[in-house]
Amino acid sequence: MKPRLFALAATQAEISLDERFQQFVEAHREKAISLAWRLTGGQAQAAEDVAQEAFLRAYKALPRFRDESRLETWFTRILIRQAHNHRRKHTHHQETVTASLLTTHPAMPDPGLQFRVAQALDTLSRGQRETFVLVYLEGFTIAETSKILRRSSGTIKTHLHRALRRLRSELEDLFPLDERTTP
Amino acid sequence: MSQNPLDPRDAALVDQIQKSYTAPSMSTESQRAFDQRLQASVRRVPKSRNLVSGALLAAAAILVWIQIDSSPPAPHVLAETAELTQERNEAYASLLGLEGDDLWASDVDTTMLPDSYQQLSSLFLTP
């Protein structure tokens, strides 16, 4: 086992910064854009801008991180912060932009439904929204989300509970009780 | 996935949201455009960083130089300095027994200087 680990370490050391960055982008591009898209209210261009900025910051910070998992946690945190900054800057345009962008993507299954979900997520607090998206839509564990958002597990669970309660009430008409209830 | 078990109602709601609120998948062309844009930004990083720091350093140096070069001593300092210089020259000349142009003569007995210097110091440095 040991010789294999050493061999792996040597290989990693030989990889240049640019190559390492390229690998990182390829591994995280899709997930980063998806997360940014969900956090910016379903805006494709905004999601790409946010992801670009986060990757650029990751490139600058890359020499500081030898451990890829720590880099990934840090990168996700940066991406979330960028998305939040974008929301804050464009908050007065949010509704019209979201509506127009959602309807200009004919490939989407139901733009109207997406718009309603985006609106419902918009009613959540920042912590509730980010926690909900990370855990339930992006599949991060509570422990991972706790590290990314630098909040205790208890706080994460509280955010999730309140987010679900709010979303249930906001989307009651779209997903009626009898369809949502299973025996 | 998550470590937080959901009741069936919430599980169904989350499932519906997941299905309906998903980013459109990127085409290969879009991915390439994204990567090219990122590469262009990355290429600018070291260059722009050096330029900015170089420009800042140059600006700081110029400001320091202007400050040092252009700031005249305060008027009271100039007056005091001129007065002291004159007094010192007169006292020095008197101690050495010199007058006028003799001050600049090359045959001045320099062995007198240490003692004279002590007397000058006591003259000017004692409060």
Side-chain angles (χ1 to χ4, degrees):
Chain A
M1 195 67 186
K2 263 190 177 176
R4 198 177 161 196
L5 277 175
F6 284 128
L8 186 66
T11 314
Q12 286 293 323
E14 285 163 13
I15 294 176
S16 75
L17 187 70
D18 284 352
E19 284 170 338
R20 202 177 147 211
F21 180 64
Q22 187 58 38
Q23 285 178 3
F24 184 78
V25 173
E26 278 170 20
H28 296 89
R29 187 200 302 108
E30 204 172 330
K31 198 164 185 179
I33 293 173
S34 165
L35 174 59
W37 186 90
R38 281 171 162 154
L39 288 174
T40 53
Q43 300 178 48
Q45 190 54 55
E48 284 198 20
D49 291 347
V50 164
Q52 285 273 339
E53 185 58 36
F55 275 123
L56 194 59
R57 283 169 186 244
Y59 177 77
K60 291 174 188 170
L62 208 56
R64 298 206 315 258
F65 291 93
R66 291 185 173 221
D67 180 2
E68 291 296 317
S69 67
R70 279 188 60 226
L71 175 64
E72 193 180 337
T73 303
W74 180 87
F75 171 75
T76 310
R77 189 181 302 139
I78 293 295
L79 185 84
I80 291 167
R81 196 180 301 154
Q82 290 295 322
H84 171 69
N85 290 342
H86 184 276
R87 283 181 68 93
R88 205 175 47 186
K89 278 182 197 166
H90 300 89
T91 190
H92 55 290
H93 296 305
Q94 190 77 21
E95 204 164 294
T96 49
V97 170
T98 305
S100 65
L101 284 173
L102 286 174
T103 50
T104 54
H105 282 283
M108 289 181 179
D110 188 347
L113 188 59
Q114 283 191 340
F115 182 50
R116 279 295 311 278
V117 173
Q119 275 188 322
L121 285 170
D122 214 29
T123 65
L124 303 179
S125 72
R126 178 187 174 185
Q128 290 167 4
R129 183 172 48 251
E130 289 172 356
T131 305
F132 181 86
V133 168
L134 283 174
V135 175
Y136 288 135
L137 303 187
E138 294 296 329
F140 285 92
T141 64
I142 287 178
E144 287 165 343
T145 307
S146 170
K147 267 189 191 171
I148 291 166
L149 298 180
R150 288 179 168 157
R151 295 282 181 274
S152 69
S153 298
T155 305
I156 298 297
K157 286 176 185 171
T158 306
H159 278 327
L160 286 176
H161 176 74
R162 289 180 181 163
L164 275 171
R165 196 174 56 190
R166 180 82 192 196
L167 291 172
R168 265 203 310 267
S169 98
E170 288 289 328
L171 301 170
E172 186 82 53
D173 60 313
L174 288 177
F175 311 121
L177 195 64
D178 58 333
E179 283 183 23
R180 285 190 277 123
T181 311
T182 50
Chain B
M1 196 170 123
S2 90
Q3 296 166 335
N4 202 31
L6 288 170
D7 70 44
R9 282 190 325 161
D10 288 337
L13 175 69
V14 167
D15 188 49
Q16 291 281 358
I17 293 174
Q18 265 179 345
K19 283 178 187 163
S20 58
Y21 195 58
T22 303
S25 56
M26 282 180 101
S27 64
T28 314
E29 200 177 312
S30 303
Q31 281 185 11
R32 199 178 300 130
F34 182 89
D35 288 354
Q36 281 173 355
R37 187 181 155 196
L38 188 58
Q39 276 170 12
S41 305
V42 162
R43 271 199 296 270
R44 282 196 299 268
V45 169
K47 196 179 169 187
S48 60
R49 197 188 275 168
N50 287 344
L51 275 177
V52 169
S53 58
L56 283 174
L57 198 64
I62 288 168
L63 280 174
V64 168
W65 178 75
I66 288 170
Q67 182 69 21
I68 289 170
D69 195 49
S70 65
S71 57
H76 72 279
V77 175
L78 277 176
E80 280 175 13
T81 307
E83 199 178 337
L84 281 172
T85 305
Q86 194 179 352
E87 282 179 20
R88 185 196 61 192
N89 287 346
E90 286 170 1
Y92 211 137
S94 156
L95 283 165
L96 292 173
L98 298 171
E99 282 180 13
D101 290 338
D102 289 339
L103 271 173
W104 308 106
S106 58
D107 58 348
V108 171
D109 185 3
T110 51
T111 56
M112 290 175 68
L113 281 173
D115 289 339
S116 307
Y117 181 76
Q118 290 300 323
Q119 290 176 53
L120 276 172
S121 300
S122 63
L123 184 68
F124 287 104
L125 297 180
T126 44

